[in-house]
């Protein structure tokens, strides 16, 4: 499996790495090793976002299963 490099472009992103959450402020670079469980959340009141890559590619074939999982497990309302 490929690695997932991410850069926080704005705000602070909470990032799950395995079983541990970290807060990554704007300008942070986070490398998630391939195969590691990971997730991203904006837990603050301010807008946040980042750029996430999948290296190497070929991630597209996983999108239908991921979309189905999120449809079955909708996120809770953070507001």
């Amino acid at each position: 499996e490929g690695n997932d490099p991410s850069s926080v472009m704005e705000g602070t992103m909470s990032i799950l790495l395995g079983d541990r959450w970290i807060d990554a402020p704007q300008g942070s670079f986070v490398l998630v090793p391939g195969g590691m469980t990971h997730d991203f959340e904006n837990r603050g009141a301010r807008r946040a976002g980042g750029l996430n890559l999948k290296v190497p590619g070929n991630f597209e074939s996983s999108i239908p299963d991921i979309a189905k999982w999120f449809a079955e497990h909708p996120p809770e309302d953070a507001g």
Side-chain angles (χ1 to χ4, degrees), residues 16-55:
L16 176 66
L17 300 170
D19 61 358
R20 190 182 101 202
W21 284 94
I22 63 165
D23 288 330
Q26 182 176 345
S28 295
F29 176 81
V30 178
L31 179 61
V32 181
M36 177 179 275
T37 299
H38 60 285
D39 197 1
F40 303 86
E41 290 184 8
N42 176 6
R43 295 181 174 178
R46 188 173 158 229
R47 177 181 156 134
L51 175 65
N52 179 248
L53 304 174
K54 181 71 172 173
V55 180

